[in-house]
Amino acid sequence: MERSALAILGHVSSAEIIQNSKNIAFYLPIKGEISSWPLIEYALSLGKNCYIPKVFPNNKRGMWFLPYRGKDSVQQGPFGILEPTTKLGDAIRPSELDAIFLPLVAYDPEGNRLGMGGGYYDTVLHNFKRGQERPDLIGLAYNFQQVATLPIEKWDKKLDAIATPSYFRRFKD
C-alpha cells in the first residue's frame, strides 16, 4: 500500500466516517488516482457493507453500486477498470449509502470537485432532491490536487469532506 493512502486511512479513521457508517461506496483506483484499498480493507475488517461502482457506458452515464466482497469479486471491465462481478439485482440504492468516497482530478477550498469528465457520479447524485438526506461525499486526493478555484456547473455536487495525506477537512457543518 502506498504511504499516501495509508496516511489518508489514518485521517479518515480519526474522523470516524467508516465507523459511523453501515453502507459505504468506494472506487477502485485507476490512472494515478490515490488508492482507496486501505480504506476498503479497513471497512471490511469492521464488518461494513462495501460497494463499488459498475458503469454502463451505453446507458446515459448509468452507474450502480454493487457489493464488494474481496478481490476475487471483481474483474476488469470495458474501460479497464476493476468492476464487481455480482449481479445487478444486488445493487444498493444510492439513498441507502451512508458515505461515498469519490476519486477526483482536482478540488478547491469550497468543496467543488473536478472528476474525470464522465459525469457518472453527477448523474447518480442528481437524483437526490434539495433537502433530501444523501450520503456524505468524501473526496480522496493527493495534496497537489487542490487548486484555487474550479468552474462550477449547475449539476455539480459539492464534496462534504476531503481527505488527503496531510489532513481531513469537512466543508459543511
Side-chain angles (χ1 to χ4, degrees), residues 78-99:
F79 294 123
I81 301 169
L82 287 177
E83 293 185 338
T85 56
T86 50
K87 56 188 184 304
L88 280 182
D90 293 335
I92 191 171
R93 288 186 192 99
S95 61
E96 296 177 78
L97 291 168
D98 299 307

Side-chain angles (χ1 to χ4, degrees), residues 8 15 35 56 59 71 77 107 110-111 117 122 125 132 155 165 172:
I8 284 178
S35 179
F56 293 87
N59 193 325
K71 291 188 180 183
Y107 72 97
E110 303 302 315
D122 291 325
L125 298 171
Q132 179 184 8
W155 55 81
K172 66 177 190 173

